[in-house]
RNA sequence: GCGAGCAUAGCUCAGCUGGUGAGAGCGCCUGACUGUGGAUCAGGAGGUCGCGGGUUCGAUCCCCGCUGCUCGCCCCA
């Protein structure tokens, strides 16, 4: 049997899987709520290719990051192009922003995207090699922290609307090109004498990404005595962070300052944030994002401020309430008896569908009993029964599957009945 | 890339220190019920016990290897 590739999976209609985290209607629901949020907040959809030139990610995300150095699906095309399945979508969106000169037509560009990303990681709860992200990017001339607060407010609206609770917002500032070298240096100096006491991972991080040492759970006790990164920010970064926090306070959005929060992608500057959930297991990040003011220049574009986030659709789906109903189930099942009724049902069902009614019928001649069983299994709300008797009398039977009540209707009355429902 | 656990029917699992016949619940199909579902009852279909090797008179059970899944580390959404 040919199966899905390791650590990938099918997202299925609910009738084919008990796994709530893999049911397609739950994905649809998160997408629908997110799209409504984007509509209200003025975001426009962008769809970029799922593969790009490898160089885009090497330069945008950073050659030394885990993503680029070991997790990308890359290949050389027949014409020797180096191509990569996108591992994230901020760099592609910036690429598009530059390619289509969006800066020329608007000072502030607000984009959203929904789609699959690919990373060659080991699978785990809430982590797959093909996973889905919904994200936004705010691009333009302004780096006003009010932009950041508005984005986070929108995130909270989405979380509320989806009834996802038990979450926590963590915020931090990772500085800018002006102050980061300095606090990296300070960190290096303060950590040097401690290195022998720190775990193996931290010794490695000391060389590769020193900020990550702060994120280590094992060595939390020892690193707690270091100068907090927030004390080392430059004037401008410090002011920016304070303003950002005051806007959150103003909006009544609760958060926790987490000086250990460090994002793993190179392009982040200043504000970094994450929303975690207690219910997710080891991979607790529901979403993450931050500011990336230099990214456009890095990719050959004009100086541009940027802020955005991406949410893990797979993880959102896991966090949704368990009892979410699937609204895409058919409402009506047509049970027919005999050839004449079959021909009639064929044309009637077309009329109903053109009116927007979700209705289905079976194509085998079967007993009314087995048709009813089928309708029951489909969980339709109503069943229309039509046989020779009904055709002769010009009256159809409409049965409510919940109450068991039946009424007689002419075809016109039926069409009007469902029309009124819409 | 590293570590641990698991692998028996479509699903969830049982199978008592290796010993005649491979099981349960749910689901599925049929009938009791010639044109009325859910409940009940009676039948039925469905399994190379993940794959390969070894130990043994005998392996679903013990050992080794492989594969897959799951969870954790790293890292991220």
């Amino acid at each position: 049997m040919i199966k899905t590739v390791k650590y990938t999976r099918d997202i299925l209609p609910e009738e084919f899987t008990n796994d709530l985290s893999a049911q397609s209607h739950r994905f649809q629901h998160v997408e629908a709520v997110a799209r409504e949020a984007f509509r209200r907040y003025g975001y426009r959809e962008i769809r970029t290719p799922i593969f790009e030139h490898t160089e885009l990610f090497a330069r945008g995300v950073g050659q030394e990051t885990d993503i680029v150095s070991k997790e990308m699906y890359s290949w050389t095309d027949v014409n020797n192009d180096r191509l990569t399945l996108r591992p994230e979508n901020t760099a592609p969106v910036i690429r598009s922003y530059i390619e289509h000169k969006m800066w020329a037509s608007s000072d502030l560009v607000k984009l959203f995207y929904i789609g699959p990303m690919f990373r060659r990681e080991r699978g785990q709860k809430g982590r797959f090699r093909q996973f889905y992200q919904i994200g936004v990017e705010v691009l333009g001339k302004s780096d006003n922290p009010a932009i950041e607060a508005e984005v986070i407010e929108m995130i909270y609206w989405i979380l509320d609307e989806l009834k996802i609770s038990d979450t926590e917002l963590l915020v931090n500032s990772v500085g800018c090109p002006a102050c980061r070298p300095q606090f990296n240096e300070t960190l290096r100096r303060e950590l040097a004498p401690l290195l022998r006491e720190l775990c193996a991972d931290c010794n490695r991080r000391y060389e590769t990404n020193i900020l990550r040492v702060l994120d280590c759970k094992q060595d939390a006790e020892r690193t707690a005595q270091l100068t907090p990164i927030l004390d080392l920010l430059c004037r401008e970064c410090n002011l920016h962070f304070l303003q950002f926090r005051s806007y959150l306070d103003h909006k009544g959005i609760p958060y926790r300052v987490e000086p250990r929060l460090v994002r793993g992608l190179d392009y982040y500057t200043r504000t970094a944030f994450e929303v975690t959930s207690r219910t997710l297991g080891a991979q607790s990040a529901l979403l993450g994002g931050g500011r990336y003011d230099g990214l456009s220049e890095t990719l050959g574009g004009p100086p541009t401020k940027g802020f955005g986030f991406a949410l893990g659709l797979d993880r959102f789906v896991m966090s949704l309430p368990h009892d979410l109903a699937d609204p895409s189930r058919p409402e009506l099942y047509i049970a027919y008896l005999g050839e004449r009724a079959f021909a009639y049902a064929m044309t009637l069902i077309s009329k109903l569908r053109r009116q927007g009614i979700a209705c289905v019928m079976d194509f085998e001649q079967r007993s009314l009993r087995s048709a009813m069983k089928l309708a029951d299994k489909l969980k339709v709300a109503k069943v229309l029964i039509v046989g020779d008797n009904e055709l002769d009398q010009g009256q159809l039977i409409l049965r409510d599957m919940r109450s068991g009540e039946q009424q007689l209707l002419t075809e016109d009355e039926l069409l009007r009945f469902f029309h009124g429902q819409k």
Side-chain angles (χ1 to χ4, degrees):
Chain A
M1 183 172 49
I2 300 176
K3 302 199 291 185
T4 53
V5 174
K6 197 192 285 199
Y7 305 129
T8 67
R9 62 188 183 145
D10 296 318
I11 309 298
L12 300 167
E14 63 175 348
E15 57 268 38
F16 299 115
T17 176
N18 298 323
D19 182 354
L20 294 181
S21 72
Q23 295 180 348
S24 51
H25 77 277
R26 294 168 67 84
F27 279 73
Q28 286 173 11
H29 185 237
V30 176
E31 289 168 10
V33 168
R35 282 179 186 278
E36 175 57 19
F38 300 150
R39 187 186 71 77
R40 294 187 187 193
Y41 281 80
Y43 287 80
R44 309 285 294 156
E45 181 173 11
I46 180 170
R47 304 193 189 197
T48 58
I50 62 168
F51 60 100
E52 298 268 0
H53 289 288
T54 300
E55 188 191 359
L56 173 62
F57 302 111
R59 278 168 58 184
V61 178
Q63 196 71 248
E64 301 310 315
T65 59
D66 281 9
I67 290 177
V68 174
S69 64
K70 58 188 191 199
E71 294 174 359
M72 294 204 303
Y73 281 104
S74 300
W75 71 98
T76 304
D77 208 359
V78 285
N79 60 0
N80 283 328
D81 282 348
R82 296 284 302 147
L83 304 177
T84 292
L85 248 33
R86 64 184 184 195
E88 61 98 49
N89 209 31
T90 297
V93 169
I94 305 304
R95 191 224 77 231
S96 182
Y97 174 82
I98 298 167
E99 187 170 339
H100 298 285
K101 300 180 170 55
M102 295 183 200
W103 76 84
S105 40
S106 178
D107 276 357
L108 192 68
V109 175
K110 296 162 78 173
L111 302 168
F112 78 89
Y113 59 83
I114 298 177
M117 308 295 156
F118 306 85
R119 291 182 200 170
R120 200 179 180 294
E121 292 182 286
R122 193 69 177 272
Q124 209 173 308
K125 188 180 176 72
R127 200 171 68 183
F128 311 93
R129 288 188 172 178
Q130 172 170 339
F131 59 103
Y132 296 83
Q133 286 192 335
I134 299 178
V136 311
E137 313 294 350
V138 182
L139 303 164
K141 292 183 173 160
S142 170
D143 62 356
N144 193 320
I147 293 171
E148 302 165 13
E150 187 191 79
V151 166
I152 286 171
E153 177 191 80
M154 179 174 74
I155 288 169
Y156 264 83
W157 185 83
I158 294 172
L159 289 169
D160 285 348
E161 197 68 14
L162 291 172
K163 298 185 168 60
I164 294 176
S165 48
D166 269 332
T167 61
E168 185 170 33
L169 169 64
L170 310 176
V171 302
N172 191 25
S173 176
V174 295
C176 66
C179 54
R180 197 180 299 169
Q182 285 163 36
F183 64 68
N184 272 351
E185 196 42 54
T186 306
L187 258 180
R188 202 171 296 277
R189 204 176 53 239
E190 291 187 3
L191 276 172
L194 294 173
L195 273 182
R196 301 187 63 181
E197 303 171 42
L198 299 181
C199 69
D201 282 334
C202 281
N203 273 274
R204 184 174 49 72
R205 293 186 189 109
Y206 183 80
E207 300 300 336
T208 57
N209 187 348
I210 194 161
L211 278 182
R212 281 238 150 255
V213 175
L214 299 176
D215 199 28
C216 181
K217 290 119 204 158
Q218 285 184 46
D219 295 327
E221 230 170 87
R222 288 194 183 73
T223 54
Q225 25 176 316
L226 301 174
T227 309
I229 167 174
L230 289 171
D231 290 357
L232 300 168
L233 295 176
C234 65
R235 250 186 105 72
E236 291 74 19
C237 285
N238 193 44
L239 188 65
H240 185 96
F241 191 54
L242 288 176
Q243 264 188 339
F244 166 62
R245 291 179 55 181
S246 76
Y247 284 134
L248 290 184
D249 293 336
H250 181 71
K251 286 175 180 292
I253 294 173
Y255 60 89
R256 181 156 65 82
V257 176
E258 176 49 271
R260 296 162 182 287
L261 175 65
V262 178
R263 318 248 73 236
L265 287 68
D266 281 358
Y267 51 63
Y268 283 112
T269 57
R270 293 190 166 170
T271 309
F273 71 99
E274 197 169 287
V275 172
T276 59
S277 164
R278 274 181 268 285
T279 62
L280 282 179
Q283 306 305 318
S284 62
L286 267 175
L287 63 90
R291 177 160 289 288
Y292 46 86
D293 288 340
L295 185 53
S296 173
E297 290 98 310
T298 304
L299 295 175
T304 304
K305 310 294 186 183
F307 182 78
F309 76 93
L311 69 82
L313 189 41
D314 308 82
R315 292 180 188 176
F316 263 61
V317 166
M318 289 194 293
S319 309
L320 248 29
H322 296 321
D323 57 356
L324 186 72
D326 182 356
S328 62
R329 292 261 190 186
E331 313 156 50
L332 176 71
Y333 177 90
I334 300 183
Y336 59 88
L337 292 156
E339 287 294 338
R340 193 153 68 100
F342 175 67
Y344 174 77
M346 292 268 279
T347 60
L348 177 62
I349 200 169
S350 298
K351 292 180 191 168
L352 286 162
R353 286 170 173 163
R354 277 164 187 263
Q355 279 201 9
I357 311 305
C359 47
V360 290
M361 60 184 278
D362 188 59
F363 300 101
E364 303 302 319
Q365 291 287 344
R366 53 175 75 244
S367 68
L368 184 55
R369 175 183 153 71
S370 81
M372 293 298 292
K373 280 191 155 185
L374 231 150
D376 185 58
K377 208 167 67 181
L378 291 170
K379 295 199 181 99
V380 294
K382 295 190 186 298
V383 172
L384 186 76
I385 299 167
V386 45
D388 287 334
N389 298 344
E390 288 70 32
L391 289 179
D392 292 341
Q393 291 157 25
Q395 296 232 295
L396 309 167
I397 300 175
L398 184 62
R399 179 182 179 87
D400 184 292
M401 293 298 274
R402 249 206 139 87
S403 63
E405 284 170 23
Q406 302 192 161
Q407 53 181 315
L408 288 171
L409 294 167
T410 64
E411 180 178 313
D412 281 349
E413 285 167 343
L414 178 80
L415 292 172
R416 248 180 283 127
F417 175 86
F418 278 111
H419 194 67
Q421 247 187 17
K422 283 281 132 183

